[in-house]
């Protein structure tokens, strides 16, 4: 794994480990995030432990790669702080594409970290994995996610009407994509 794709001066991505099960569980079940999450049912802690085990997060064999976004601390401040989850999923080797998703803890949202995490993950997808295209599934009401993905160069290409059933009716789903050529022309 080319680790230089996963690091900036302030943030780095690392492989998800079993110790991250609580983080995944908390983020996937956070009521503030729930309206932007495409999960149909709550994630059980047992499931989070299975997902974070090393044998589950394998891009080539299982179709997804789960990473933890961490805020780098100075040596004097101690340990690095996990601030969220980043993932590549629905990986298709033949078509050279994957879906991408990120979720950050509430206190780290709207501070530019999402854009940095997304940029590192997309750079890895295009350079190390030689993908042609990456896409994201975003609810139209998730303005912050649409802005974050747009800043990295994603463009909305489709709307799937009434795609997800919600408590108050049905929710559309937008598909946003970026190709390798567009990403490197804009960055």
């Amino acid at each position: 794994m080319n680790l230089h794709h996963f690091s900036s001066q302030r943030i780095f991505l690392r492989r998800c480990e079993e110790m991250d099960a609580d983080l995944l569980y908390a983020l996937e079940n956070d009521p503030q995030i729930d309206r932007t999450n495409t999960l149909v049912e709550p994630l059980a802690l047992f499931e989070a432990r299975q997902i974070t085990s090393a044998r589950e997060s394998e891009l080539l064999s299982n179709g997804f790669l789960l990473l933890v976004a961490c805020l780098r601390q100075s040596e004097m401040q101690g340990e690095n702080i996990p601030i969220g989850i980043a993932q590549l999923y629905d990986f298709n080797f033949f078509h050279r594409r994957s879906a991408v998703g990120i979720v950050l803890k509430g206190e780290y949202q709207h501070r530019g970290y999402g854009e940095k995490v997304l940029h590192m993950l997309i750079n890895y997808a295009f350079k190390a994995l030689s993908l042609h295209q990456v896409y994201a599934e975003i609810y139209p009401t998730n303005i912050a996610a649409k802005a974050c993905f747009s800043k990295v160069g994603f463009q909305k290409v489709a709307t799937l009407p009434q795609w997800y059933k919600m408590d108050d009716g049905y929710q559309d789903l937008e598909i946003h994509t970026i190709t390798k050529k567009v990403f490197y022309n804009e960055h």
Side-chain angles (χ1 to χ4, degrees):
M1 189 177 284
N2 296 320
L3 297 179
H4 66 276
H5 297 295
F6 292 122
S7 186
S8 73
Q9 202 170 20
R10 188 83 169 116
I11 295 179
F12 68 95
L13 301 176
R14 64 169 171 77
R15 186 82 181 253
C16 196
E17 300 176 15
E18 289 184 32
M19 69 180 183
D20 299 311
D22 290 336
L23 172 66
L24 178 63
Y25 173 79
L27 287 171
E28 293 292 355
N29 292 301
D30 184 334
Q32 298 299 318
I33 297 170
D34 184 52
R35 295 293 292 178
T36 63
N37 193 333
T38 58
L39 282 181
V40 183
E41 57 192 28
L43 182 70
L45 185 55
F46 174 76
E47 291 172 303
R49 288 183 180 137
Q50 285 184 311
I51 292 169
T52 57
S53 71
R55 65 187 176 280
E56 291 294 322
S57 178
E58 295 288 340
L59 193 60
L60 292 176
S61 60
N62 294 334
F64 78 96
L65 175 66
L66 194 59
L67 302 166
V68 175
C70 295
L71 193 57
R72 193 180 309 279
Q73 295 293 300
S74 70
E75 290 180 27
M76 295 177 69
Q77 290 176 307
E79 292 187 24
N80 298 308
I81 302 169
I83 63 170
I85 299 285
Q87 65 177 330
L88 293 172
Y89 63 98
D90 196 22
F91 174 71
N92 187 303
F93 181 79
F94 180 78
H95 294 292
R96 311 300 297 172
R97 70 174 175 241
S98 178
V100 63
I102 60 170
V103 60
L104 300 180
K105 292 179 180 178
E107 63 267 32
Y108 297 101
Q109 295 176 4
H110 311 291
R111 296 172 63 181
Y113 296 133
E115 184 181 344
K116 289 180 176 113
V117 167
L118 188 57
H119 190 274
M120 284 187 281
L121 191 57
I122 301 305
N123 188 46
Y124 172 73
F126 289 143
K127 280 195 174 173
L129 301 176
S130 298
L131 296 185
H132 167 69
Q133 184 169 221
V134 177
Y135 70 93
E137 302 171 326
I138 305 173
Y139 287 134
T141 54
N142 192 345
I143 305 303
K146 291 188 341 180
C148 177
F149 280 81
S150 178
K151 286 178 185 174
V152 176
F154 281 74
Q155 295 179 343
K156 178 182 153 188
V157 296
T159 299
L160 304 173
Q162 301 181 18
W163 198 252
Y164 281 103
K165 184 176 183 337
M166 308 297 263
D167 292 338
D168 55 352
Y170 284 86
Q171 174 74 47
D172 292 351
L173 182 70
E174 294 179 357
I175 305 298
H176 296 245
T177 66
I178 188 168
T179 62
K180 186 176 191 175
K181 182 178 179 181
V182 169
F183 182 74
Y184 289 112
N185 282 341
E186 294 194 12
H187 296 93

